[in-house]
Amino acid sequence: GHCTRERKQNLYSRRDAFMAAFADSHGSLLCREILCHDLTIPAERALIVEKNLFTTVCAPLVCATCNLLEEYL
């Protein structure tokens, strides 16, 4: 069926609640703020790789996000 106005509002409010919970847990919604490095800058990206942040920060973050999402779906 079509997405009714109420369903849309419900989705938006759940999305907003999830985003607020994520920001609260991780201090930001932005990758560069969470990692303290900007992926789009090659030298910064090299630091991310060197410090192994994809494994130590990003991977656990994905797991935490999946668990958090279950509360809002």
Side-chain angles (χ1 to χ4, degrees), residues 6-71:
E6 292 100 64
R7 277 181 67 192
K8 222 177 240 185
Q9 280 310 116
N10 182 273
L11 268 173
Y12 289 144
S13 65
R14 283 192 292 168
R15 178 204 61 192
D16 294 345
F18 165 75
M19 287 172 77
F22 183 98
D24 196 48
S25 290
H26 306 291
S28 176
L29 289 169
L30 301 177
C31 181
R32 68 174 178 271
E33 290 180 4
I34 293 168
L35 291 178
C36 300
H37 295 292
D38 192 335
L39 264 175
T40 62
I41 301 167
E44 294 269 297
R45 189 185 170 89
L47 278 173
I48 292 169
V49 172
E50 190 183 305
K51 294 179 179 182
N52 208 18
L53 297 181
F54 287 127
T55 305
T56 59
V57 178
C58 305
L61 193 68
V62 171
C63 292
T65 303
C66 289
N67 292 334
L68 187 61
L69 263 176
E70 284 181 351
E71 294 176 36

